[in-house]
Amino acid sequence: QVQLVESGGGLVQAGGSLRLSCAASGNIFRIDDMAWYRQAPGKQRDLVAGVTSGGSTNYVDSVRGRFTISRDYAKNTVYLQMNSLNAEDTAVYYCYVQLLRRGSTRIQTYWGQGTQVTVSS
């Protein structure tokens, strides 16, 4: 009864920009933490950026100053603005959400379907 829909991925030249979106919908009472992860072929899935329920943000060192994570509380949506992209940013990007469902007292974790970001040199 909860789904995450990602959008905004694609092909971009080095130095370009993309904006990813992830919208949560369904049986949601409250969303806590939201984050973006990425995974390149043959590598592990790593945290890129996160934003807590209190609005605090954190970034992996390699994207700090280039990427910005933000959220729209009313729309249950998290964004990732990616600037100055380089080849090392090429990966599948996954949305991650921790939320409380209506009628529940336990926090649950959900993942988006993933969206491909390819940066050409």
Side-chain angles (χ1 to χ4, degrees):
Q1 292 185 314
V2 174
Q3 60 181 355
L4 307 182
V5 179
E6 299 183 30
S7 62
L11 175 64
V12 64
Q13 292 189 95
S17 299
L18 285 173
R19 192 192 193 202
L20 306 183
S21 299
C22 176
S25 62
N27 188 33
I28 301 169
F29 177 73
R30 171 173 50 81
I31 294 180
D32 292 331
D33 296 347
M34 308 183 84
W36 289 95
Y37 287 73
R38 67 185 180 187
Q39 185 171 26
K43 296 189 176 181
Q44 66 181 30
R45 186 177 299 184
D46 294 324
L47 176 69
V48 179
V51 56
T52 69
S53 59
S56 298
T57 59
N58 65 93
Y59 301 89
V60 66
D61 288 343
S62 61
V63 310
R64 189 180 303 276
R66 300 188 297 120
F67 291 9
T68 302
I69 188 171
S70 61
R71 63 193 292 175
D72 186 325
Y73 292 88
K75 295 181 178 180
N76 289 337
T77 300
V78 62
Y79 306 93
L80 185 67
Q81 178 66 47
M82 304 184 293
N83 299 326
S84 301
L85 287 162
N86 57 58
E88 289 70 48
D89 297 317
T90 295
V92 177
Y93 285 70
Y94 296 91
C95 177
Y96 169 91
V97 177
Q98 292 185 328
L99 58 82
L100 185 68
R101 297 170 67 182
R102 292 192 182 97
S104 177
T105 59
R106 302 175 66 178
I107 297 294
Q108 295 182 237
T109 299
Y110 293 87
W111 289 92
Q113 81 279 8
T115 184
Q116 177 71 48
V117 171
T118 303
V119 184
S120 63
S121 59

